């Protein structure tokens, strides 16, 4: 399967053979890719995932390969969804063309605005850790508690003198 010409290909089942995601195309949907070729991604391509109440779609593959010739970063798109936790996005047996631990060629896009995401690349998975961003009222409540604690401490010291 070779994706070209701005196509979006979302799969929720198994695919035989490899998938090549070229610059300007989108692939996702929780697919399992069987066969020796695995998943090959070119810079400028998009990998699309969606969170539901239980977690996130995962792409399973024998090989995860970076192929040359694209432009820009590989976008990891969540379509405005998020769920706090750490999740495997792409699982694989072999990593080719990427360097373990180096996610500088990836960017997270369209994550729910109330969350932040950090990607990591291990020997067997592209992962994301998602955290909720505290509301400003949370910081205000914490600051108020600190001020109240300081006032009580000061009052006790003045009372003892």
């Amino acid at each position: 399967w070779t994706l070209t010409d701005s196509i979006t290909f979302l799969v929720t089942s198994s695919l035989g053979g490899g998938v090549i995601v070229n610059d300007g195309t989108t692939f996702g949907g929780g697919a399992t890719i069987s066969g020796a070729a695995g998943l090959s991604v070119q810079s400028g391509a998009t990998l699309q995932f969606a969170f539901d109440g239980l977690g996130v779609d995962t792409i399973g593959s024998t090989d995860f390969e970076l192929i040359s010739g694209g432009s820009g970063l590989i976008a990891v798109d969540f379509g405005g969804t998020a769920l706090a936790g750490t999740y495997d996005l792409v699982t694989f047996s072999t990593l080719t063309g990427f360097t373990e631990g180096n996610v500088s060629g990836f960017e997270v896009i369209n994550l729910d605005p109330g969350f932040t995401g950090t990607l990591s690349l291990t020997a067997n998975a592209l992962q994301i850790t998602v955290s909720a961003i505290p509301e400003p009222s949370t910081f205000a409540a914490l600051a108020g508690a600190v001020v109240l604690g300081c006032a009580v401490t000061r009052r006790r010291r003045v009372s003892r003198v």
Side-chain angles (χ1 to χ4, degrees), residues 42-68:
Q42 190 175 53
S43 296
T46 300
L47 298 176
Q48 186 171 334
F49 301 91
F51 286 94
D52 60 23
L54 304 174
V56 68
D57 299 328
T58 300
I59 298 171
S61 178
T62 51
D63 183 38
F64 187 39
E65 177 185 19
L66 175 65
I67 53 178
S68 63

Side-chain angles (χ1 to χ4, degrees), residues 3-160:
L3 309 182
T4 59
D5 299 326
S6 302
I7 192 169
T8 297
F9 190 47
L10 304 177
V11 180
T12 57
S13 60
S14 296
L15 290 174
V19 175
I20 299 171
V21 186
N22 286 311
D23 186 356
T25 62
T26 301
F27 178 74
T32 299
I33 303 166
S34 59
L39 177 63
S40 299
V41 181
Q42 190 175 53
S43 296
T46 300
L47 298 176
Q48 186 171 334
F49 301 91
F51 286 94
D52 60 23
L54 304 174
V56 68
D57 299 328
T58 300
I59 298 171
S61 178
T62 51
D63 183 38
F64 187 39
E65 177 185 19
L66 175 65
I67 53 178
S68 63
S71 61
L73 301 173
I74 297 170
V76 183
D77 185 350
F78 293 95
T81 63
L83 186 64
T86 298
Y87 304 96
D88 290 344
L89 300 175
V90 180
T91 58
F92 44 85
S93 303
T94 307
L95 185 61
T96 307
F98 292 104
T99 303
E100 184 179 342
N102 183 357
V103 292
S104 63
F106 296 90
E107 67 177 330
V108 174
I109 63 171
N110 297 326
L111 193 63
D112 182 306
F115 293 84
T116 183
T118 304
L119 293 171
S120 61
L121 186 61
T122 69
N124 299 102
L126 174 63
Q127 298 176 321
I128 189 165
T129 300
V130 179
S131 304
I133 299 172
E135 294 288 329
S137 60
T138 303
F139 292 116
L142 289 173
V146 169
V147 168
L148 181 62
C150 291
V152 168
T153 302
R154 181 180 166 96
R155 185 172 183 170
R156 284 185 183 166
R157 285 186 188 161
V158 170
S159 297
R160 289 185 187 156

